[in-house]
Amino acid sequence: MTTPREARPVPSPRPAKSRSLKSQRPRIALALAGGGPLGAIYEIGALCALADSLRGLDLNHCDHYVGVSAGGFIAAGLANGISPRELCEAFIEDGKDKGNDNFDPAWLLKPAWTEFAGRLQRLPGLLGSALWAWGVQGRAFTNAFERLGAALPTGVLDNEGIHHQIERLFSQPGRTNDFRQLRARLTLVATQLDSGEAAPFGQPGWDHVPISRAIQASAALPGLFPPVEIDGEHYVDGALKKTLHATVALDDGAALLLCLNPLVPFRAHALGEHTDHIPSLVEGGFPAVMSQTFRSMIHSRLELGMKNYERLYPGSDIVLIEPDQRDAKLFTANTFSYRQRRELAEHAYQQTRKLLLERQAELAPKLARHGVTLNLASLRNPDLRLVNEPSVPAQTTLGRQLHATLDDLQRQLGTAAAGR
């Protein structure tokens, strides 16, 4: 069996212009964690806030981009020259002719018919084997019929559309679906299913895989999407191994690392100016309890990783941007509801601006060492907005059905969505 490391062609050299730019300024990297559609919405809002609030930093000209799961799509877009505002127009805004950059949530919601059919074909043989083990070999009923689990699908939604749609997006003039043709380094991390090891697509040995296929693999949340086969191996969500995988950029020499993490545990009883409290998460039932469980696990792993980064890379400045843990709006948001995306993106934009202003004493010295300054006038401007005032467009029958499907999917798959 051929692995990606063995199958890769010799990587193309980086453009000379890129090397010249890197030699003239500090190396700046951006690491984006996953979080499903909600995570992508938050990261777009936060990135737009960073673009408007930081002088001396062009988010389309970082030296290294690292993305996991939904963050992989955002990172790849930035590396391809798509600005945060353009990502917002394509992914957030309604009522605009976005042409080939249009993102339709419907292509994330197609049932995995191929996976269903393949598993169904295996059922007769598995059932016969189980009956033989039980009736002839005398094995216990439960032990004999455990093998029927192999007939269950590995995912309920088809993720092949992720590859095809992003392949189309990155095939437009001025963009590329080839890691080796990018100006900057891009690393998209998935998890190799059979070994549990991280797969750093875009790194030497892994850069022959199309960017769109790597994004599909990095976002293949087990149970929701089937594993993605690449060069005879199967890959699933990169967040199974680590939350950020920021060491990839730090090992590459990043002097300033900006990290965005959209998923944090909720502090229901925290005091302060946030008044939209949830008295008790148990009132939200199973989805709320599991959402808090997965968020807590993911965030504790992130906190440990951040401490290790500071210890192992004392020469690098690391800035973490994430939601306030008292923010009930983001915690209770319907992860799969695109009706809320404008409001949530605006919320992320404003909250990130507020965070930058509140942390200016801490952040200003770190950023200044790399030629980046806070635009205090912009941060203090109360009139700045990300999206236009919300409007209520007329919904078609198909639109109403899609929104109903999205809401029903959130209720049924709340646990899986929170895990991303």
Side-chain angles (χ1 to χ4, degrees):
M1 183 175 294
T2 302
T3 64
R5 188 171 300 277
E6 296 168 339
R8 74 175 180 98
V10 177
S12 301
R14 303 280 175 179
K17 181 180 179 181
S18 172
R19 290 194 295 268
S20 175
L21 286 172
K22 291 180 182 180
S23 64
Q24 295 175 9
R25 62 184 174 85
R27 294 175 60 81
I28 298 177
L30 180 66
L32 305 177
L38 175 62
I41 292 169
Y42 170 83
E43 289 179 345
I44 289 173
L47 287 166
C48 287
L50 293 176
D52 291 347
S53 306
L54 299 181
R55 291 196 182 105
L57 174 64
D58 185 342
L59 291 173
N60 289 116
H61 288 83
C62 295
D63 298 289
H64 196 156
Y65 299 87
V66 181
V68 181
S69 195
F73 162 68
I74 306 299
L78 293 173
N80 251 300
I82 305 175
S83 72
R85 287 281 178 171
E86 289 172 332
L87 286 170
C88 181
E89 291 177 2
F91 196 79
I92 306 297
E93 290 281 23
D94 288 322
K96 291 186 177 181
D97 181 12
K98 296 183 281 290
N100 291 330
D101 282 357
N102 181 44
F103 291 89
D104 184 356
W107 50 262
L108 288 173
L109 299 173
K110 296 179 180 179
W113 296 121
T114 302
E115 173 71 8
F116 296 160
R119 296 289 165 174
L120 189 61
Q121 290 179 353
R122 304 173 65 177
L123 183 58
L126 291 170
L127 180 59
S129 176
L131 290 173
W132 178 267
W134 175 52
V136 178
Q137 296 179 339
R139 295 187 183 180
F141 179 85
T142 53
N143 291 337
F145 281 85
E146 279 180 353
R147 62 191 65 193
L148 291 180
L152 297 176
T154 57
V156 297
L157 297 177
D158 185 2
N159 54 0
E160 191 66 17
I162 296 176
H163 162 58
H164 291 304
Q165 293 292 337
I166 296 176
E167 181 182 44
R168 173 186 57 81
L169 176 67
F170 291 166
S171 296
Q172 295 179 31
R175 302 173 187 170
T176 179
N177 199 34
D178 189 330
F179 285 102
R180 299 161 297 184
Q181 299 302 317
L182 290 171
R183 181 204 62 84
R185 185 177 294 279
L186 170 66
T187 304
L188 304 175
V189 186
T191 303
Q192 194 171 44
L193 182 61
D194 290 333
S195 68
E197 295 299 320
F201 293 107
Q203 291 287 302
W206 303 85
D207 52 2
H208 66 289
V209 176
I211 295 173
S212 55
R213 187 66 78 185
I215 293 173
Q216 178 192 5
S218 181
L221 179 67
L224 192 61
F225 296 113
V228 178
E229 183 176 357
I230 300 174
D231 293 340
E233 300 286 348
H234 290 88
Y235 299 89
V236 294
D237 199 311
L240 270 65
K241 189 72 176 177
K242 292 182 182 178
T243 303
L244 273 173
H245 291 274
T247 51
V248 174
L250 293 168
D251 286 339
D252 194 37
L256 174 63
L257 175 64
L258 301 177
C259 305
L260 266 66
N261 171 53
L263 294 184
V264 297
F266 181 63
R267 294 184 179 179
H269 301 297
L271 300 177
E273 62 183 78
H274 295 258
T275 58
D276 190 12
H277 293 311
I278 303 173
S280 176
L281 292 181
V282 74
E283 299 298 326
F286 182 76
V289 171
M290 294 308 297
S291 175
Q292 181 76 336
T293 299
F294 280 110
R295 286 167 180 260
S296 299
M297 293 170 59
I298 290 171
H299 198 259
S300 64
R301 187 173 60 182
L302 173 64
E303 290 178 325
L304 180 60
M306 295 299 292
K307 292 179 181 178
N308 286 333
Y309 299 154
E310 294 174 359
R311 178 176 58 86
L312 297 174
Y313 305 93
S316 298
D317 288 308
I318 303 171
V319 176
L320 174 63
I321 305 293
E322 60 182 9
D324 192 310
Q325 293 186 23
R326 301 166 296 176
D327 195 335
K329 182 183 290 291
L330 286 174
F331 182 82
T332 59
N334 186 335
T335 307
F336 280 91
S337 175
Y338 281 77
R339 287 181 294 181
Q340 297 186 49
R341 65 185 184 267
R342 290 167 55 89
E343 178 184 355
L344 292 172
E346 182 68 41
H347 182 71
Y349 177 79
Q350 299 298 347
Q351 290 300 310
T352 302
R353 294 176 67 238
K354 178 182 177 183
L355 178 149
L356 293 173
L357 194 57
E358 290 176 345
R359 294 174 55 188
Q360 62 173 302
E362 167 207 348
L363 296 177
K366 286 186 176 181
L367 298 173
R369 285 193 285 269
H370 310 280
V372 181
T373 59
L374 291 169
N375 186 341
L376 296 180
S378 173
L379 289 171
R380 290 169 177 156
N381 184 350
D383 298 324
L384 283 185
R385 290 183 58 83
L386 174 62
V387 298
N388 297 324
E389 290 295 335
S391 59
V392 183
Q395 286 190 1
T396 63
T397 300
L398 178 60
R400 288 192 296 270
Q401 291 175 347
L402 176 59
H403 289 317
T405 301
L406 289 166
D407 291 337
D408 182 62
L409 183 63
Q410 168 64 19
R411 288 190 292 270
Q412 295 182 38
L413 300 176
T415 302
R420 294 189 68 186

